[in-house]
């Protein structure tokens, strides 16, 4: 391994730009190229980091010289980029959600396993200081009730309201909350999601509520909405014997009284862990692709339940 890890980035949106900024701050990383189907966006991001730009990911991969690749594309664009990266035997970092469907993600996971490559998914909430504090406060007491929320606005991208492109709010946004629920509560065995009855044909549900049954005996609720003008409430509340915890991306509230602020390092730590894994170090990768696939299965089950208007078992 050379002293500098050369990273290629597929996708040039806001999340890709965030990763590029973090990675450029590491002394052992350089951005080796940026690809996007919108060449102007690729050029804008690439020029900010002194890298070449490409109008498709094939050009980036064919240029060679890469040590790892970040795939930061919209939900509908997952699949071919990952397959092509893996065919080059390169470690891969994938931004959530993993895909629109389940089979694409299952196939990618199988290929990563077959090749034995380092992987990571952008579930950076797992690196929040306050998540560690929450687990300490629970002190082994099993969670009995989980309440998840993602009450927000419509993001300013044209594809987001189209169900065939974003997969809906649960898959595209609330997957962060679901991942945290799995981490703090455990696996989910059954979901029953009910959408508001005012969706426009071809567009996502503007509001959804869901019941979740956890394999360990806990019960849970999830509420999502994109009807608002700003982000209103995003996070997870959990109740165990004698304690209630409320977590957002920035704060832990204990029993409605004690507030603990997060240190704000999660988005750096998730990238550092992946680069360490690529470099063969003992890396703290908390959401390798196979682990993130479990959260994706849960999000897909909820989306399926809402679409089919019936409960869905996770092994169904």
């Amino acid at each position: 391994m050379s002293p500098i890890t050369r990273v290629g980035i597929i996708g040039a949106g806001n999340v890709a730009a965030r990763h590029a900024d973090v990675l450029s701050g590491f002394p052992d990383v350089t951005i080796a190229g940026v690809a996007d189907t919108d060449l102007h966006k690729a050029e804008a991001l690439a020029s900010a980091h002194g890298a070449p730009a490409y109008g498709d990911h094939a050009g980036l991969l064919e240029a060679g010289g890469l040590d790892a690749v970040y795939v930061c594309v919209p939900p509908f664009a997952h699949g071919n980029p990952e397959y092509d990266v893996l065919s080059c035997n390169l470690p891969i970092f994938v931004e959530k959600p993993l895909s629109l469907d389940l089979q694409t993600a299952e196939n990618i996971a199988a290929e990563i396993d077959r090749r034995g490559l380092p992987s990571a998914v952008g579930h950076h909430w797992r690196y929040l200081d306050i998540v560690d504090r929450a687990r300490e406060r629970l002190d082994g007491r099993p969670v009995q009730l989980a309440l998840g929320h993602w009450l927000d606005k419509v993001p300013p991208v044209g594809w987001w309201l189209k169900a065939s492109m974003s997969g809906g709010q649960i898959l595209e946004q609330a997957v962060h909350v679901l991942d945290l629920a799995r981490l703090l509560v455990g696996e989910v065995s059954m979901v029953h999601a009910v959408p508001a009855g005012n969706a426009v044909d071809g567009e996502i549900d503007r509001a959804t509520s869901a019941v979740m049954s956890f394999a360990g005996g806990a019960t849970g609720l999830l509420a999502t909405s994109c009807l608002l003008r700003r982000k209103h409430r995003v996070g997870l509340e959990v109740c165990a014997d004698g304690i209630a915890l409320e977590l957002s991306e920035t704060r832990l509230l204990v029993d409605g009284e004690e507030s603990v602020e997060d240190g704000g390092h999660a988005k750096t730590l998730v990238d550092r862990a992946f680069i360490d894994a690529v470099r063969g170090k003992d890396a703290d990768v908390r959401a390798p692709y196979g682990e993130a696939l479990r959260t994706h299965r849960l999000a897909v089950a909820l989306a399926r339940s809402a679409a089919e208007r019936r409960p869905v078992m996770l092994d169904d």
Side-chain angles (χ1 to χ4, degrees), residues 201-222:
D201 282 349
E203 293 193 354
I204 68 168
D205 298 312
R206 299 301 204 277
T208 306
S209 62
V211 175
M212 300 181 290
S213 178
F214 290 82
T219 187
L221 301 172
L222 177 70

Side-chain angles (χ1 to χ4, degrees), residues 186-249:
E187 301 298 343
V188 175
S189 57
M190 185 279 297
V191 297
H192 189 183
V194 179
N198 56 358
V200 177
D201 282 349
E203 293 193 354
I204 68 168
D205 298 312
R206 299 301 204 277
T208 306
S209 62
V211 175
M212 300 181 290
S213 178
F214 290 82
T219 187
L221 301 172
L222 177 70
T224 65
S225 177
C226 56
L227 290 167
L228 309 179
R229 295 193 180 119
R230 59 178 178 82
K231 184 180 287 186
H232 171 65
R233 190 175 188 184
V234 172
L236 179 73
E237 298 174 61
V238 295
C239 296
D241 187 16
I243 192 168
L245 304 175
E246 181 178 347
L247 294 101
S248 69
E249 195 176 353

Side-chain angles (χ1 to χ4, degrees), residues 51-77:
Y54 303 88
D56 57 46
H57 70 268
L60 170 66
L61 296 175
E62 287 168 4
L66 300 176
D67 298 307
V69 176
Y70 275 61
V71 178
C72 305
V73 299
F76 62 87

Side-chain angles (χ1 to χ4, degrees), residues 56-311:
D56 57 46
H57 70 268
L60 170 66
L61 296 175
E62 287 168 4
L66 300 176
D67 298 307
V69 176
Y70 275 61
V71 178
C72 305
V73 299
F76 62 87
H78 285 285
N80 286 338
E82 288 92 337
Y83 296 140
D84 291 344
V85 169
L86 295 173
S87 72
C88 297
N89 222 40
L90 290 168
I92 190 168
F93 185 110
V94 179
E95 259 303 337
K96 43 60 62 185
L98 301 184
S99 61
L100 277 180
D101 63 335
L102 185 55
Q103 193 59 55
T104 297
E106 296 275 7
N107 292 343
I108 292 167
E111 186 64 9
I112 290 171
D113 287 346
R114 187 180 76 82
R115 292 177 176 271
L117 291 166
S119 69
V121 172
H123 283 302
H124 64 272
W125 285 30
R126 289 189 174 224
Y127 292 86
L128 296 172
D129 301 339
I130 53 176
V131 172
D132 296 330
R133 301 293 83 76
R135 298 177 90 166
E136 291 170 3
R137 292 302 183 95
L138 288 171
D139 191 27
R141 289 172 287 187
V143 172
Q144 298 295 322
L145 175 66
L147 307 170
H149 306 87
W150 200 293
L151 310 179
D152 204 345
K153 64 184 183 300
V154 174
V157 286
W159 50 263
W160 199 83
L161 280 175
K162 300 175 182 178
S164 63
M165 301 182 81
S166 74
Q169 190 175 15
I170 291 174
L171 191 71
E172 214 283 319
Q173 288 183 325
V175 67
H176 278 305
V177 174
L178 297 175
D179 190 63
L180 190 55
R182 286 189 54 245
L183 189 67
L184 294 180
V185 188
E187 301 298 343
V188 175
S189 57
M190 185 279 297
V191 297
H192 189 183
V194 179
N198 56 358
V200 177
D201 282 349
E203 293 193 354
I204 68 168
D205 298 312
R206 299 301 204 277
T208 306
S209 62
V211 175
M212 300 181 290
S213 178
F214 290 82
T219 187
L221 301 172
L222 177 70
T224 65
S225 177
C226 56
L227 290 167
L228 309 179
R229 295 193 180 119
R230 59 178 178 82
K231 184 180 287 186
H232 171 65
R233 190 175 188 184
V234 172
L236 179 73
E237 298 174 61
V238 295
C239 296
D241 187 16
I243 192 168
L245 304 175
E246 181 178 347
L247 294 101
S248 69
E249 195 176 353
T250 58
R251 186 186 71 157
L252 167 65
L253 188 63
V254 182
D255 291 332
E257 298 174 345
E258 179 188 353
S259 180
V260 181
E261 297 298 315
D262 186 72
H265 306 298
K267 291 176 180 177
T268 299
L269 292 173
V270 67
D271 285 336
R272 185 67 255 175
F274 175 65
I275 295 300
D276 286 346
V278 172
R279 299 186 64 80
K281 297 181 179 180
D282 184 15
D284 183 23
V285 177
R286 302 184 184 182
Y289 197 95
E291 169 63 15
L293 178 59
R294 293 179 177 272
T295 298
H296 187 64
R297 288 177 184 140
L298 172 55
V300 169
L302 282 158
R304 177 181 167 194
S305 176
E308 297 180 359
R309 307 296 203 271
R310 67 175 184 88

